[in-house]
Each structure stands twice: as C-alpha cells, then as structure tokens.
C-alpha cells in the first residue's frame, strides 16, 4: 500500500467540477439552491418510479434530498472516489445515522480511544441502547484485534485524532477488517479527501464533517457519509429485508438514507449545501497552505524553551510520523502543544492577537482553545486521562494567516 498517498492526491478539478456530474441547469455555473420541499411529476407513473427507486436522480420530498444537496453529494463522492454519499445536517448527524441505523442491540464496536469528544459522548448513548463500544489505543493493530468478539460489527477510527493528533494503524486495521468481514468506518474530517482517501486503506464508510475542512469558512454546518464500494453489504446481517432487493453495493447507503435521513430527519438544507459547496471549491489550496503553515508553527513551538510538548504528525518526534508521511499528502492544520508551566496557559492565550479564542476546526481563521477547561470539561478527569488530554493542552486550528505573522505573534505571547 506504499502508493496510497499518490492515489489520494487531491484533484482541484473534482472540487470545482464534482457537483456538475448530475447535470447542469440553464448553463448555471453554480448548482441552483432548490428550496422546493415537494417535487411533482406530469405522469403518475414517474411519481411511482421515484418512490420505487426506478426513476434515477429524482426527488419526492426534501427531507430525503434535493437537487442542491445531491450535487454536493456527487462532489463528495468524487473527492472520496466512492460509489455514493449522503449529506446530513451536521457531522454528528452523519455519525448518529451510521451507529443508530447500522447497529442493533447486542452488537459490539471497537473504536479508537482517541476520538472527537462528542463522538465519545455518543458512544455513551449507544451503550444505553445495548450496543457496547470497546475503546483501544488503535496505534497498533494487535490491540484492535485483541478486542474483536463474535458480535463485533464495526471498527471505528479517525485519521488524525483531535486534539492529540494520534494516528491509528490505518492500513493494518483495514487489512484486519477485510480478513474478518468487518465494517471499517473512518472519520476523515481532519485530513479531508484533499490529504487522504480512507478508501486506499480499505475503509467501507467514510465520514466527513463538512463544517470543518471541506467548507472552511465556518459559516455552515454539514456532514457526509460516503460508501467506498469496498464493503460487502450482502454479508452484513443488519440490512433490513426492504433494502436487500437492490445492488449489494448500494444497500448500506439505502438503509442510511431511508432510516438515517428520512426517518430521523437531520437533513442538510439546500442553502447550507450551497455554502459548503462554495467553500469546497478551494479545499485543495486551503489545505496545502494551512498544512505548510502548521508545520512551520509546529517547528517554531518545538524549539521554544517554554513549550514542553508539541503534537503534529509531520514532526519527526511524532510517534506515527512515518505512517503519516506514507499516507498523508501533508500534516493538516491541526496541532496541539503543552507549556512547561501549565499555570501560564491563560496568560499566553490572552496575549495572542491573531488567533481567535474559540472552538472550531479547519477554519480559514486560526482558532485556539485550552482543551481541558472547555471542550473536555463535561467529560471529566477520568475520560480526559483515557483520551490523553493533559490539563495544560492547547489546541490550534491553523488558518490562512501567514506563517511569519503567526510565529511572530506566538513568539511575543510566549516571551
Ligand atoms: C467536528 C467533528 C465532528 C462533528 O462534526 P459537526 O459538523 O460539528 O457535527 C465529527 N468528527 C470529527 C473528527 C470532528 O472534528
């Protein structure tokens, strides 16, 4: 799999043309924002065809999709090189749809212990519903293998964990899932398809929070699930008989669209889909730029006397550096650091002028946040310890400001 990175090379053409695959209306360069909730047909046979799935690229009621959201789905599918995608109102809605519609009471999931905080919280809900989630340090495939049980259905990881930047043994876990026939679900939010395609390591489903890297502007919430076409749904026990009649490669998406989108209703609005689509046009350029800046800033922080630890995949000191270099086109905009004296964290952050003190990731503006007292406050000390969150950990989401200006600002704040 040493050529995985080459296969994942971003195509700028996909980000600017990917939403035109389903057709162009009136020569419009942008997909129009279709606000209609209902879709009517001249012939009742066509209306029946929409409901029975025989009339392709057609719509009935906007909760299940519109031409505008379908165009964004086509773009995401193209970027991830999948067989189809479904957009949701947020990344969490996409995750919720996967876990709640593809798992049953008594099923078991193995997850990386380093996952997005709200995903970890959602695992608590799954537990209440009788779906057990084992959390492991997925940096070595053997620890994942050791957790597998006869009722394990799914393995879940994030490409680069937020905030600690841990990277799972992505290729080896993919091979393990293939060997055991397990659904491999990879959250690609931090890397985005511009840096990495989880399909190259065998993922069956890929999640992207569109809110983050893909939109970039922080002016719209959205999420997407992409089916890579690699998983054999015919052998998956939790597909409802209603969805068995179609092409096996589409059965998972069909259940997700009907049960996860139509029945649960966390639909992406066409206006938000339009905004996300505009943001996505510059995905490749933004990610290349913010990754380069993040590496410069990480190197600066690593050499600073006041900094005790710095977490960034493209630094040689990162535990999974070799894997990151092999798989990812660049290191992304996410980095985290710890000060030698954690009592100084608030002072240093308040002295910074350029980064905005805010939660959020993958934004065009640099955002900075002390992790333990904010996004991981509700989780409590035990969960923080399990997830490797030190009390003085600071997360930075690097934006489009110049590296020189950012480094100058950090140098001043740390002096
Ligand atoms: C933000 C995030 C999510 C959730 O996305 P929302 O669009 O904010 O709901 C899921 N996974 C990861 C890795 C994230 O960073």
């Amino acid at each position: 799999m040493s050529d995985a990175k080459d296969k994942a090379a971003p195509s700028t053409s996909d980000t600017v043309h990917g939403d035109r695959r389903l057709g162009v209306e009136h020569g419009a360069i942008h997909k129009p924002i279709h606000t209609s909730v209902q879709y009517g047909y001249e012939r009742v046979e066509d209306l029946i065809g929409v409901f029975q799935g025989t009339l392709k690229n057609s719509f009935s009621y906007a909760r299940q999709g519109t031409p505008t959201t379908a165009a964004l789905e086509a773009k995401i599918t193209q970027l991830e090189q999948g067989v189809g995608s479904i957009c949701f109102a947020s990344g969490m809605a996409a995750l919720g749809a996967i876990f709640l519609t593809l798992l049953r009471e008594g099923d078991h999931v193995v997850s990386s212990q380093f996952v997005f905080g709200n995903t970890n919280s959602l695992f608590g809900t799954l537990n209440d519903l009788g779906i057990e989630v084992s959390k492991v340090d997925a940096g070595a495939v053997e620890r994942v293998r050791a957790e597998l049980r006869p009722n394990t259905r799914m393995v879940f990881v994030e490409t680069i964990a937020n905030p600690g930047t841990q990277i799972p043994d992505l290729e080896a876990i993919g091979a393990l899932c293939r060997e055991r026939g397990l659904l491999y679900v990879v959250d690609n939010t931090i890397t985005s398809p511009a840096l990495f395609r989880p399909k190259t390591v065998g993922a069956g489903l890929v999640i992207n929070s569109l809110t983050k890297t893909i939109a970039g502007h922080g002016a719209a919430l959205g999420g997407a699930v992409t089916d890579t076409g690699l998983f054999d749904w015919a052998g998956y026990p939790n597909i409802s008989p209603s969805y068995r009649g179609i092409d096996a490669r589409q059965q998972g998406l069909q259940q997700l669209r009907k049960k996860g989108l139509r029945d649960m209703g966390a639909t992406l609005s066409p206006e938000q889909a339009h905004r996300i689509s505009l943001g996505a046009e510059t995905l490749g350029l933004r990610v290349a730029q913010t990754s380069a800046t993040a590496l410069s800033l990480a190197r600066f922080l690593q050499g600073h006397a006041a900094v005790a630890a710095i977490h960034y995949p493209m630094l040689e000191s990162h535990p999974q550096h070799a894997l990151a270099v092999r798989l990812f086109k660049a290191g992304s905009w996410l980095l985290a650091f710890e000060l030698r004296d954690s009592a100084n964290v608030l002072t240093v952050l308040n002295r910074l002028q350029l980064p905005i003190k805010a939660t959020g990731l993958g934004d065009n503006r640099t955002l900075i946040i002390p992790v333990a007292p904010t996004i991981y406050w509700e989780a409590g000390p035990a969960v923080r310890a399990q997830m490797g969150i030190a009390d003085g950990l600071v997360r930075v989401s690097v934006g489009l400001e110049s590296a020189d200006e950012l480094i100058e600002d950090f140098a001043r704040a740390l002096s």
Side-chain angles (χ1 to χ4, degrees):
M1 289 241 179
S2 56
D3 58 345
K5 187 161 73 173
D6 297 330
K7 282 188 251 163
S11 158
T12 306
S13 307
D14 292 344
T15 60
V16 291
H17 293 293
D19 49 3
R20 295 161 67 84
R21 294 167 75 208
L22 300 178
V24 173
E25 293 162 60
H26 314 294
I29 297 297
H30 292 288
K31 188 69 183 179
I33 301 174
H34 287 269
T35 58
S36 187
V37 172
Q38 295 92 343
Y39 291 80
Y41 295 85
E42 282 298 318
R43 300 168 60 246
V44 73
E45 288 86 344
D46 286 342
L47 181 62
I48 292 167
V50 177
F51 275 80
Q52 298 188 0
T54 51
L55 193 68
K56 297 298 171 199
N57 300 325
S58 57
F59 303 89
S60 59
Y61 192 77
R63 188 169 0 92
Q64 293 180 66
T66 65
T68 316
T69 52
L72 179 59
E73 287 168 353
K75 185 181 323 229
I76 306 295
T77 300
Q78 180 102 355
L79 284 167
E80 291 288 5
Q81 294 284 289
V83 296
S85 300
I86 303 175
C87 285
F88 292 86
S90 68
M92 287 316 301
L95 283 158
I98 287 183
F99 297 133
L100 294 172
T101 70
L102 295 177
L103 297 169
R104 299 276 177 274
E105 184 182 4
D107 285 350
H108 174 248
V109 176
V110 180
S111 170
S112 164
Q113 76 195 57
F114 307 116
V115 293
F116 184 58
N118 301 156
T119 304
N120 189 56
S121 175
L122 178 58
F123 288 158
T125 305
L126 295 185
N127 198 59
D128 296 343
L129 294 172
I131 299 163
E132 211 185 321
V133 182
S134 300
K135 298 165 193 171
V136 290
D137 178 348
V141 67
E142 290 318 317
R143 289 194 285 267
V144 175
R145 187 189 294 273
E147 292 296 328
L148 298 182
R149 305 176 192 167
N151 59 338
T152 306
R153 294 270 169 264
M154 182 186 289
V155 176
F156 177 83
V157 298
E158 297 178 1
T159 52
I160 300 179
N162 149 44
T165 75
Q166 297 89 348
I167 301 170
D169 203 350
L170 287 161
E171 296 157 302
I173 297 171
L176 174 65
C177 288
R178 173 175 282 269
E179 172 196 320
R180 298 291 186 92
L182 296 168
L183 179 57
Y184 187 23
V185 181
V186 178
D187 186 331
N188 197 27
T189 297
I190 306 298
T191 27
S192 89
L195 296 182
F196 176 62
R197 284 189 181 120
K199 183 179 180 179
T200 60
V201 294
L205 293 179
V206 180
I207 293 155
N208 281 285
S209 163
L210 306 174
T211 318
K212 315 281 176 61
T213 324
I214 290 182
H217 43 53
L221 277 167
V225 178
T226 302
D227 190 322
T228 62
L230 296 181
F231 185 69
D232 178 18
W233 294 102
Y236 194 70
N238 296 344
I239 297 294
S240 149
S242 325
Y243 310 132
R244 283 291 186 206
I246 59 171
D247 172 9
R249 289 202 311 176
Q250 291 293 333
Q251 290 175 5
L253 278 183
Q254 180 80 343
Q255 180 149 315
L256 275 168
R257 189 178 291 280
K258 301 288 183 177
K259 297 287 176 190
L261 188 65
R262 182 195 64 187
D263 296 0
M264 294 184 187
T267 305
L268 181 67
S269 79
E271 287 87 350
Q272 303 300 67
H274 172 72
R275 289 185 188 193
I276 291 164
S277 206
L278 289 183
E281 292 184 356
T282 55
L283 173 66
L285 298 172
R286 284 185 285 105
V287 175
Q289 169 83 22
T290 53
S291 295
T293 307
L295 180 56
S296 301
L297 182 60
R299 288 213 170 107
F300 165 77
L301 290 170
Q302 189 172 40
H304 200 287
V307 176
I310 164 91
H311 309 283
Y312 190 69
M314 292 299 158
L315 291 178
E316 291 72 15
S317 56
H318 191 282
Q320 290 98 26
H321 176 67
L323 183 73
V325 169
R326 191 163 73 243
L327 294 183
F328 305 150
K329 199 146 193 307
S332 99
W333 36 261
L334 174 69
L335 65 88
F337 65 93
E338 291 158 46
L339 293 182
R340 251 176 234 298
D341 187 350
S342 60
N344 290 337
V345 168
L346 303 192
T347 314
V348 168
L349 263 58
N350 280 328
R351 275 195 206 150
L352 284 167
Q353 290 171 4
L354 219 39
I356 300 172
K357 290 168 267 297
T359 189
L361 294 164
D363 197 279
N364 292 340
R365 289 141 286 261
T366 296
L367 308 177
I368 194 161
I369 191 162
V371 177
T374 57
I375 46 180
Y376 275 92
W377 184 243
E378 181 189 307
V383 171
R384 286 201 292 272
Q386 187 199 33
M387 297 179 81
I389 312 284
D391 284 348
L393 190 71
V394 175
R395 179 181 83 188
V396 187
S397 170
V398 175
L400 293 173
E401 303 90 344
S402 80
D404 289 350
E405 278 180 294
L406 276 173
I407 289 171
E408 200 184 304
D409 199 17
F410 273 88
R412 196 183 321 115
L414 286 166
S415 67

